[in-house]
Structure formats: structure tokens, C-alpha cells
Amino acid sequence: MNKNGIIIAVTGKGGVGKTSLSAAIVRQLIEKYPEKKILAIDADPAIGLATALGVEVELTIDNIRQSFVKAAESGNTKQAIEMLSEARYQIMDAVVEKDGFSFLAIGRPESSGCYCKVNAYLKEVISILSENFDYVVIDGEAGIEQVNRRVMEKVTHLLLVSDGSQKGIGVIKTIHQVAKELTMYQRAGVILNRLSFKGMTTEFDLDDLELLAKIGNDDQLLDNDMLGDSVFELADSANIIIGAKEALEKLDVI
Ligand SMILES: Nc1ncnc2c1ncn2[C@@H]1O[C@H](COP(=O)(O)OP(=O)(O)OP(=O)(O)O)[C@@H](O)[C@H]1O
Ligand SMILES: [Mg+2]
């Protein structure tokens, strides 16, 4: 068991390419480390990473959490306690085994209730599972919430993704500030994605943050998304694949 695994979180504003990059990162890790244990966590309730990695999701973390809640609410304390002690096995039931990697989705609470409960649960799940995997890649929900709620506490490598917009860059700077306080990250860096031709040669003000990669518009990725294909169907020459590789190399992960 490896207690010092690498936990990579992919964060940023909505629609900047977090899911596409998370999938590309998982692909790079599989190619570089076929013998290592790699886990992809879809921490976005919209479950986009599953599609990007070609995974069918049957059971989510929220499904498991709800079964605890139901047992506790029905007053069956004994059952609730037994279930808690079995949590580790139950979580493993929700982990889908694929070729070269494993996958887990957070899911979406059915009721309109507070999403923070499943986030609190996710934090524990990350903590438990990171002991069993060498590499964990977390595709985060858009925005700052999961960093704020300490879901990302155990993250070792923080990837801040933005497009070329001031808004997107503002969001990653905020995430970075909060992450300094609320996470244990060792390395952080920026990936600028979906840049226009002009954006590729523009210097962006990123304060003290390290720029890991600049990725231009990727037509291959757009076609791939349109067809609902997974990241494994992209050519090695796709911008997003090259960008993910560059970023991981700069972070000394691959
Ligand atoms: N470099 C790129 N070039 C062209 N299109 C891209 C690029 N990166 C991402 N996209 C496209 O942009 C859309 C959003 O990408 P993606 O789903 O990866 O973003 P996200 O940050 O995960 O979004 P959300 O916040 O909704 O989860 C997708 O259709 C994707 O194909
Ligand atoms: Mg996404």
C-alpha cells in the first residue's frame, strides 16, 4: 500500500476544459505507468469524465451515502454502524475497473438538498482511496466550492485551468489563494486552454503562478466530443494530449 501517492486535482471556471484535461492526464499516466494503480475520480455531479474515459457508471458515491442516510433515518442504528465499518468495501464496489485504471463518480443527490453532504463524504473517500492508489486524478466541479469545503485537502498537485478570459484567470487566482490555506498541495500550476491564435503568443498575468502549458483550440477534440468518443480515440498529436503531457512533465509527475 502506498501512503504517499500523488493526488492531482483539476480545477477552474466552468467550461474551460477541466474534464478534457483530466481525461488526457489519465491517458498520459496509463501510458507512462502501465503497472501503477491509477484512479480517476469524477467529482462533478454532471459525470462528464465517465464519457471522456469511456466508462459506464452504475453506482456513485452518492448512492452509497444515501444508503447510510436511509439506514440511520429509519432508526436502525446497528445497521448504520455496521455499514459505516463496511464503508471501505462499499466504496470499492462503486469503483469501476478498466484497462489500466479505475474510476469512481461522486454522482448527484436526487433531492434538491445540500450538495455539501456528498462533498463531505467525497473528502473521506479521497482520503481512504488515496492509500490504495499510486495516482489519483480528480476532475473537480467548476468553481471554488470543493476547495472551500476542504474536499481537496489531500491534493498534492493542484492544476489550475483557465481559458484566455480575465474571468477564468480571476477564478484560478482565487482558487489558488484558498488552496494555500485549505489544501496540502506541494505543486501548483496553470494550464491555459482553448486559446485563440492570438492568445497563444500573448503574455498572461498569472501573478507568481507557474505556467505549465498553453493549449490552442483543438479541432480533433471537438470532433471527438461530437461523436461521444473517449480520450483514447484521440491521436497523440491532439493539442490536449500534448498539453497534458507538457504539464505533467513540468510538474515532474511523468
Ligand atoms: N483546447 C480545446 N479546443 C477546443 N475545444 C475544447 C478544448 N478544450 C475543451 N474543449 C471543449 O470545450 C467543452 C468544455 O470542455 P470540458 O467539458 O472539458 O470543460 P469543463 O471545464 O470540464 O466544463 P464543466 O465546467 O462544464 O465541467 C467541450 O465541448 C470540449 O470538447
Ligand atoms: Mg467538466
Side-chain angles (χ1 to χ4, degrees):
M1 218 183 280
N2 182 359
K3 294 228 175 210
N4 302 305
I6 286 183
I7 308 179
I8 301 168
V10 184
T11 65
K13 186 174 85 73
V16 293
K18 298 179 296 298
T19 299
S20 312
L21 271 165
S22 298
I25 286 167
V26 170
R27 173 173 153 172
Q28 290 295 347
L29 289 173
I30 296 168
E31 283 174 11
K32 176 82 183 190
Y33 304 116
E35 75 297 346
K36 296 277 188 192
K37 293 195 76 184
I38 299 164
L39 173 68
I41 298 183
D42 192 343
D44 186 336
I47 316 191
L49 186 62
T51 313
L53 288 171
V55 179
E56 298 267 345
V57 178
E58 281 171 20
L59 198 60
T60 68
I61 295 175
D62 191 61
N63 296 146
I64 293 166
R65 187 194 65 86
Q66 277 174 17
S67 60
F68 287 125
V69 174
K70 282 207 184 97
E73 274 174 2
S74 66
N76 194 340
T77 324
K78 189 159 169 263
Q79 193 192 350
I81 291 169
E82 274 170 12
M83 283 175 90
L84 271 178
S85 64
E86 281 177 17
R88 185 182 293 256
Y89 302 103
Q90 293 228 359
I91 293 160
M92 286 314 284
D93 279 349
V95 175
V96 184
E97 302 290 339
K98 297 291 284 185
D99 228 5
F101 72 102
S102 304
F103 178 90
L104 180 67
I106 180 174
R108 183 196 347 241
E110 279 164 23
S111 63
S112 56
C114 181
Y115 185 59
C116 57
K117 285 189 192 136
V118 65
N119 266 333
Y121 201 68
L122 177 61
K123 182 185 156 196
E124 298 309 319
V125 169
I126 292 169
S127 186
I128 292 170
L129 287 183
S130 59
E131 290 178 11
N132 298 314
F133 288 89
D134 302 301
Y135 295 90
V136 178
V137 179
I138 308 170
D139 176 19
E141 190 189 1
I144 188 116
E145 185 74 359
Q146 286 177 332
V147 178
N148 234 346
R149 291 195 180 273
R150 295 177 189 263
V151 176
M152 302 295 187
E153 191 171 22
K154 293 263 169 79
V155 160
T156 59
H157 292 67
L158 180 69
L159 287 184
L160 301 155
V161 185
S162 179
D163 52 19
S165 73
Q166 290 301 320
K167 201 168 162 194
I169 291 171
V171 171
I172 58 173
K173 284 180 180 173
T174 309
I175 292 174
H176 182 229
Q177 288 311 317
V178 177
K180 277 188 195 166
E181 303 265 319
L182 299 181
T183 78
M184 310 192 299
Y185 82 79
Q186 298 154 17
R187 297 286 302 271
V190 175
I191 299 177
L192 294 175
N193 185 35
R194 308 189 68 172
L195 293 181
S196 63
F197 189 67
K198 192 171 176 194
M200 290 302 280
T201 52
T202 301
E203 283 233 12
F204 291 87
D205 174 15
L206 301 172
D207 295 343
D208 56 339
L209 279 163
E210 182 185 356
L211 178 60
L212 301 171
K214 269 182 167 185
I215 305 171
N217 261 313
D218 188 337
D219 286 338
Q220 282 195 54
L221 176 63
L222 278 176
D223 288 346
N224 177 273
D225 247 16
M226 190 175 65
L227 297 169
D229 284 346
S230 79
V231 73
F232 303 105
E233 266 116 347
L234 281 172
D236 286 342
S237 60
N239 290 345
I240 198 99
I241 300 293
I242 293 170
K245 182 162 188 261
E246 217 180 297
L248 291 174
E249 281 171 354
K250 284 220 179 104
L251 290 172
D252 304 311
V253 172
I254 62 171

